[in-house]
């Protein structure tokens, strides 16, 4: 059973924040005038959920990739005694044999967005490798606090694994992945799958994951008031998920905040990436390091000068292209490695 970490060393002094990458700096400075890093507050969550003018959610037509994918939203059973959940299912139309799949958990600080958020980027990653993508619609905090969101994500994964052959998905080649809050929930789901002897997970893809409710790392303090999603917004997200005053306390579940897990052994191969100039840098590096210490297979990238979500906001920057290419190369290695093992 996964237990949790409560002890924390006293805060160490930090220097000035790392500079943003030269291609990214003008963009993040411009964004800050419209959407400051501390924009999320307990009193404006409903407002932040409203559509952003000029930013459209991807339609089924967009997600079909010119007809290469079938797109379906399906309602499936949620956790025991809880409401059903929706899965957005994108399947390669012309696959002759069962395909690998990415089980996608969207970002949004635990408090905003839906299962279409981040899907264009996930399909960009999946399509060249002939992979399906299934994105889960989990209930949001604060209306649904922990364990609701992570249990929804786990229930969706169980359903996909149990119905893999119906979907023409190979149940042995399911990669779980997500960004930001979705990365944190992905890590929580992976811990659950290990502890409950649940679905097989080939690998996990953690992109700038939100892992630590204590919100007091050197990078969280360095980047306060800078970039996108600083420690103030992060506090809003954790309080919404766990309840006011609970984050940082002694009884936070590692399924909510995976950085609390004391045992990181027995987890699948993992990819972690994060920007050097963002709140989550140090908690993500620490998680990867602790997985190595437990004997895990982890690939870690810290992108110099990257802010939170830089690859989505500025996709044509050289650093963004490098980050996207690194994820694709890692994912390809997981699929090739599996094929070599089963031969």
């Amino acid at each position: 059973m996964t237990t949790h970490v409560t002890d924390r060393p006293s805060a160490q002094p930090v220097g000035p924040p790392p500079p943003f990458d030269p291609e990214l700096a003008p963009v993040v400075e411009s964004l800050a005038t419209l959407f400051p890093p501390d924009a999320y507050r307990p009193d404006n969550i409903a407002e932040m959920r409203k559509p952003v003018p000029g930013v459209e959610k991807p339609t089924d037509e967009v997600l079909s990739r010119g007809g290469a994918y079938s797109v379906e939203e399906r309602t499936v059973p949620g956790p025991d005694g809880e409401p059903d959940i929706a899965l957005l299912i994108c399947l390669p139309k012309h696959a002759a044999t069962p395909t690998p799949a990415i089980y996608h958990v969207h970002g949004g600080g635990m408090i905003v967005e839906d299962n279409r958020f981040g899907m264009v980027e996930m399909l960009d990653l999946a399509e060249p490798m002939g992979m399906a993508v299934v994105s889960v619609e989990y209930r949001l905090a604060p209306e649904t606090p922990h364990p609701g969101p992570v249990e929804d994500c786990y229930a969706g994964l169980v359903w996909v694994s149990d119905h893999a052959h119906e979907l023409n998905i190979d149940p042995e080649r399911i990669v779980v992945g997500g960004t930001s809050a979705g990365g944190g929930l992905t890590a929580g789901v992976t811990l659950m799958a290990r502890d409950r002897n649940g679905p097989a997970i080939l690998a996990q893809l953690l992109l700038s994951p939100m892992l630590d409710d204590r919100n007091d790392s050197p990078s969280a303090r360095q980047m306060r008031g800078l970039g996108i999603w600083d420690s103030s917004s992060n506090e809003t997200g954790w309080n919404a998920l766990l309840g006011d005053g609970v984050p940082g306390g002694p009884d936070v579940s590692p399924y909510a905040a995976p950085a609390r897990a004391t045992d990181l052994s027995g987890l699948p191969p993992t990819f972690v990436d994060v920007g050097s100039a963002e709140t989550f840098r140090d908690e993500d590096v620490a998680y990867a390091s602790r997985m190595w210490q437990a004997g895990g297979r982890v690939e870690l990238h810290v992108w110099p000068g990257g802010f939170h979500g830089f690859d989505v906001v500025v996709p044509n920057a050289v650093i963004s292209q490098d980050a996207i290419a690194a994820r694709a190369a890692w994912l390809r290695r997981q699929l090739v490695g599996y094929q070599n093992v089963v031969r």
Side-chain angles (χ1 to χ4, degrees):
M1 180 67 183
T2 295
T3 55
H4 57 265
V5 175
T6 58
D7 294 334
R8 189 77 159 179
S10 58
Q12 297 297 313
V14 297
F20 294 114
D21 175 89
E23 277 191 283
L24 304 182
V27 178
V28 74
E29 289 168 9
S30 176
L31 280 175
T33 64
L34 302 172
F35 196 79
D38 59 353
Y40 290 88
R41 306 184 307 274
D43 63 354
N44 75 347
I45 291 173
E47 182 70 21
M48 300 305 278
R49 289 176 180 168
K50 293 179 180 178
V52 177
V55 179
E56 303 296 332
K57 294 186 183 298
T59 63
D60 287 1
E61 181 179 2
V62 168
L63 297 178
S64 75
R65 319 288 283 194
Y69 280 81
S70 65
V71 181
E72 174 190 6
E73 189 116 12
R74 186 178 298 194
T75 300
V76 305
D80 288 346
E82 298 293 338
D84 291 345
I85 56 176
L87 297 177
L88 180 61
I89 303 171
C90 299
L91 304 175
K93 275 188 177 179
H94 306 298
T97 59
T99 68
I102 297 174
Y103 181 76
H104 173 241
V105 185
H106 72 80
M110 308 289 181
I111 54 179
V112 298
E113 296 301 346
D114 60 25
N115 61 8
R116 290 179 183 258
F117 184 59
M119 276 293 283
V120 169
E121 291 77 23
M122 278 294 149
L123 282 164
D124 286 344
L125 189 60
E127 185 179 10
M129 299 178 216
M131 301 180 75
V133 181
V134 180
S135 187
V136 59
E137 180 88 352
Y138 56 88
R139 290 168 292 170
L140 299 174
E143 294 85 352
T144 303
H146 177 76
V150 72
E151 290 286 2
D152 286 353
C153 296
Y154 183 75
L157 176 65
V158 170
W159 187 91
V160 170
S161 180
D162 288 348
H163 293 80
H165 294 299
E166 171 190 337
L167 301 172
N168 199 34
I169 286 173
D170 182 348
E172 300 297 321
R173 292 190 292 163
I174 296 175
V175 176
V176 293
T179 301
S180 193
L185 289 165
T186 293
V189 163
T190 303
L191 290 169
M192 281 184 166
R194 180 198 65 182
D195 295 344
R196 298 176 180 181
N197 296 314
I201 294 174
L202 178 66
Q204 62 173 337
L205 181 68
L206 308 180
L207 307 179
S208 298
M210 179 179 174
L211 299 171
D212 197 336
D213 64 291
R214 290 164 292 196
N215 196 27
D216 63 354
S217 70
S219 58
R221 289 181 282 121
Q222 267 186 324
M223 299 306 299
R224 188 172 180 88
L226 298 170
I228 292 176
W229 190 266
D230 77 348
S231 58
S232 178
S233 287
N234 203 37
E235 181 179 6
T236 297
W238 282 115
N239 280 335
L241 182 71
L242 300 175
D244 288 346
V246 175
D251 299 316
V252 174
S253 166
Y255 301 138
R260 296 296 195 113
T262 57
D263 180 9
L264 295 180
S265 64
L267 297 174
T270 299
F271 183 97
V272 181
D273 80 351
V274 67
S276 71
E278 68 164 294
T279 298
F280 297 141
R281 181 195 68 218
D282 291 335
E283 66 194 64
D284 293 354
V285 170
Y287 197 73
S289 295
R290 292 180 54 230
M291 288 187 69
W292 283 319
Q293 292 159 13
R297 291 176 54 197
V298 186
E299 180 169 325
L300 170 66
H301 292 267
V302 180
W303 297 104
F307 60 83
H308 191 60
F310 68 91
D311 56 294
V312 176
V313 177
V314 198
N316 294 323
V318 172
I319 193 173
S320 301
Q321 291 294 303
D322 288 348
I324 293 165
R327 296 165 196 167
W330 172 84
L331 184 57
R332 189 174 295 107
R333 288 197 300 275
Q334 308 318 302
L335 300 178
V336 169
Y338 171 84
Q339 291 170 345
N340 291 338
V341 167
V342 299
R343 280 176 185 162

